[in-house]
């Protein structure tokens, strides 16, 4: 049973916008929000006054003094005066949290047209400020000093994985292959922060240019600090815009326990549940997907994602990359955009960006990233170490 069959109405992505990701010194949070919101409304073919509600995904957590940005989107047009606008925060999954809130407003009937924005400015803040902000998304490390920050948390996940699944082979080489794949894909993404094919040998090797950040994670295993924004218009009916609508077929959310000692560090059990819920609502299986954009904040996260989504059995994720399943020409391409690894990770923007990139693919407007006639895709976005998990299944119309 699809979302449309379950709720008796469609949720359509009818317009979208996406900024460059990277160190955007000439842009402010406000200018990024206005840019992508304007683009999304314009491509949807509607007047701003048609927007019933606005949801803005942003993490911030002290990276910016302005902690109340929900009304910044009203700067797009005077027609947006008095439109309800809400900031949504769920760590690095803030963008998808905003997307699902917008979806639920449509399904509840309180809105017919919703503007969803994800935005973040990070690069202006010092490394200590960014590190402390991100650690605020961890139960055990929030407010504590750390020389490795969130990288250290995922390095611990990698260590647990390596010990549990020794038969999987050289973990560093597998993670290097994932990094190389995503850097290679990022070359074709005009929005990407890192557009250079680094090659597997470079990504697998510790060097002056690719130092160890937190053993066993090297610099190439870590997504960069980024600025950027993305926006999408959600509607219950086609709006006659410049882009063909994309249908939301199903969605799922699941949260895990916050304390680390209450979670299996290599299972990502709530992530797995969010996949099951989204695929179940859409009435499809993994074999029905043509591609997926997943949350590879660190390469170990993408490796475990292969297992959590059901592409391989636990401990066998390396097979998916070694045998080419997740490459651009494989049976389930993963992160054709370059993922967070190459595209960049402005945390509040990431989830919305993933939906926009997937919508571009499904409408044949992804340019150099374009796959051959994809019809169905999944988007997976995660906050914390497998804590807040969101999955969407999108279909071409």
């Amino acid at each position: 049973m699809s979302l449309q069959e379950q709720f008796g109405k469609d949720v359509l992505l009818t317009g979208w916008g996406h900024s460059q990701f990277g160190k955007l010194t000439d842009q402010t949070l406000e200018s990024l929000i206005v840019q992508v919101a304007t683009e999304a409304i314009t491509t949807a073919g509607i007047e701003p006054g048609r927007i019933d509600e606005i949801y803005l995904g942003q993490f911030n957590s002290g990276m910016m003094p302005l902690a109340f940005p929900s009304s910044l989107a009203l700067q797009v047009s005077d027609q947006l005066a008095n439109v309800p606008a809400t900031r949504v925060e769920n760590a690095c999954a803030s963008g998808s949290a905003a997307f699902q809130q917008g979806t639920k407003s449509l399904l509840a009937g309180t809105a017919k047209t919703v503007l969803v924005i994800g935005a973040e400015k990070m690069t202006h803040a010092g490394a200590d400020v960014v590190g402390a902000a991100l650690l605020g998304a961890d139960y055990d490390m929030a407010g504590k000093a750390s020389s490795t920050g969130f990288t250290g948390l995922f390095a611990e996940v990698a260590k647990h994985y390596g010990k549990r699944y020794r038969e999987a082979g050289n973990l560093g080489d597998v993670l290097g292959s994932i990094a190389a794949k995503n850097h290679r894909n990022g070359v074709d993404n005009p929005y990407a922060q890192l557009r250079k094919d680094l090659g597997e040998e470079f990504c697998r090797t510790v060097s002056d240019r690719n130092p160890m950040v937190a053993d066993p994670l090297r610099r190439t295993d870590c997504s960069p600090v980024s600025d950027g924004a993305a926006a999408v218009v959600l509607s219950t009916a086609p709006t006659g815009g410049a882009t063909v609508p994309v249908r939301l077929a199903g969605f799922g959310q699941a949260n895990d326990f916050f304390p680390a000692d209450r979670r299996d560090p290599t299972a990502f059990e709530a992530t797995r549940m969010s996949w099951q819920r989204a695929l179940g609502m859409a009435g499809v299986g993994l074999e029905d997907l043509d591609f997926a954009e997943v949350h590879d904040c660190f390469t170990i996260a993408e490796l475990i994602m292969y297992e959590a989504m059901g592409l391989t059995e636990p401990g066998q994720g390396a097979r998916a990359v070694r045998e080419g399943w997740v490459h651009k020409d494989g049976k389930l391409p993963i992160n054709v955009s370059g993922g967070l690894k190459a595209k960049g990770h402005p945390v509040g923007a990431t989830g919305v960006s993933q939906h926009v990139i997937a919508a571009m693919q499904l409408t044949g407007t992804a340019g150099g990233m374009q796959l051959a006639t994809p019809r169905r895709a999944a988007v997976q976005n995660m906050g914390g170490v497998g804590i807040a998990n969101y999955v969407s299944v999108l279909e071409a119309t």
Side-chain angles (χ1 to χ4, degrees):
M1 178 179 291
S2 68
L3 179 151
Q4 200 280 336
E5 292 168 330
Q6 183 171 340
F7 293 97
K9 62 177 69 175
D10 263 330
V11 173
L12 301 174
L13 288 69
T14 53
W16 45 80
H18 201 295
S19 79
Q20 179 70 41
F21 279 8
K23 187 173 183 178
L24 308 179
T25 56
D26 59 341
Q27 293 266 38
T28 64
L29 181 67
E30 180 178 333
S31 68
L32 285 167
I33 288 171
V34 169
Q35 173 193 333
V36 298
T38 300
E39 187 178 346
I41 292 169
T42 300
T43 56
I46 61 174
E47 291 295 318
R50 286 270 302 277
I51 301 295
D52 298 314
E53 293 183 19
I54 299 169
Y55 289 97
L56 170 66
Q58 188 214 22
F59 178 49
N60 192 356
S61 192
M63 290 185 288
M64 286 196 67
L66 179 63
F68 184 44
S70 55
S71 280
L72 289 179
L74 274 60
Q75 301 292 81
V76 169
S77 169
D78 289 349
Q79 294 182 40
L80 292 175
N82 302 315
V83 171
T86 304
R87 175 192 172 212
V88 180
E89 187 279 313
N90 218 355
C92 297
S94 295
S96 285
F99 182 90
Q100 284 202 12
Q101 288 303 115
T103 295
K104 290 173 181 178
S105 287
L106 297 182
L107 296 178
T110 58
K112 293 183 178 179
T113 307
V114 174
L115 174 63
V116 177
I117 306 164
E120 206 77 64
K121 278 286 287 183
M122 303 173 69
T123 65
H124 65 283
D128 56 338
V129 174
V130 174
L134 295 177
L135 281 177
D138 185 75
Y139 179 88
D140 301 288
M141 289 302 297
K144 297 179 181 178
S146 170
S147 60
T148 57
F150 230 79
T151 308
L153 301 179
F154 275 89
E156 288 301 309
V157 171
K159 289 175 183 177
H160 282 289
Y161 187 95
K163 290 177 181 177
R164 180 172 295 182
Y165 302 116
R166 288 187 177 91
E167 70 279 4
N170 189 314
L171 180 60
D173 283 354
V174 174
L175 299 183
S177 294
I178 292 172
K181 168 184 72 73
N182 290 346
H183 276 288
R184 187 162 53 248
N185 289 345
V187 171
D188 295 323
N189 184 351
Y191 304 110
Q193 181 170 353
L194 305 174
R195 299 186 66 187
K196 187 174 182 179
D197 185 354
L198 298 177
E200 292 209 10
E201 185 63 27
F202 180 85
C203 293
R204 288 178 170 188
T205 306
V206 176
S207 65
D208 290 342
R209 294 175 57 212
N210 188 27
M212 191 70 75
V213 180
D215 190 21
L217 301 183
R218 299 145 299 206
R219 180 178 291 164
T220 50
D221 293 306
C222 311
S223 58
V225 173
S226 316
D227 306 327
V232 62
V233 172
L234 300 179
S235 309
T236 53
T239 55
T243 56
V244 178
V246 170
R247 177 176 292 108
L248 177 65
F251 61 90
Q253 180 191 357
N255 273 54
D256 210 336
F257 295 106
F258 211 3
D261 61 9
R262 299 202 65 184
R263 291 178 275 118
D264 182 329
T266 68
F268 284 23
E269 292 170 351
T271 309
R272 184 184 301 275
M273 180 57 69
S274 65
W275 275 98
Q276 292 175 359
R277 288 172 176 168
L279 292 171
M281 182 184 290
V284 300
L286 206 64
E287 67 278 3
D288 298 309
L289 302 179
D290 295 306
F291 69 95
E293 289 288 322
V294 309
H295 193 97
D296 63 320
C297 50
F298 300 93
T299 51
I300 183 63
E302 179 167 330
L303 178 63
I304 294 177
M305 198 57 56
Y306 302 157
E307 302 168 12
M309 68 197 294
L311 187 59
T312 75
E313 293 297 317
Q316 297 181 21
R319 185 182 175 195
V321 67
R322 285 175 179 155
E323 298 185 17
W325 301 356
V326 294
H327 287 260
K328 196 169 183 178
D329 58 353
K331 67 178 184 180
L332 184 61
I334 300 289
N335 288 336
V336 175
S337 68
L340 287 59
K341 178 73 223 34
K343 182 180 62 176
H345 184 27
V347 291
T350 287
V352 182
S353 167
Q354 291 174 311
H355 285 85
V356 170
I357 294 293
M360 289 177 175
Q361 285 283 359
L362 293 171
T363 54
T365 58
M369 295 182 283
Q370 188 64 52
L371 296 167
T373 62
R375 300 295 300 169
R376 187 178 291 113
V379 165
Q380 180 270 331
N381 189 200
M382 178 174 71
V385 186
I387 303 297
N389 302 273
Y390 296 83
V391 176
S392 298
V393 177
L394 304 179
E395 295 178 341
T397 56

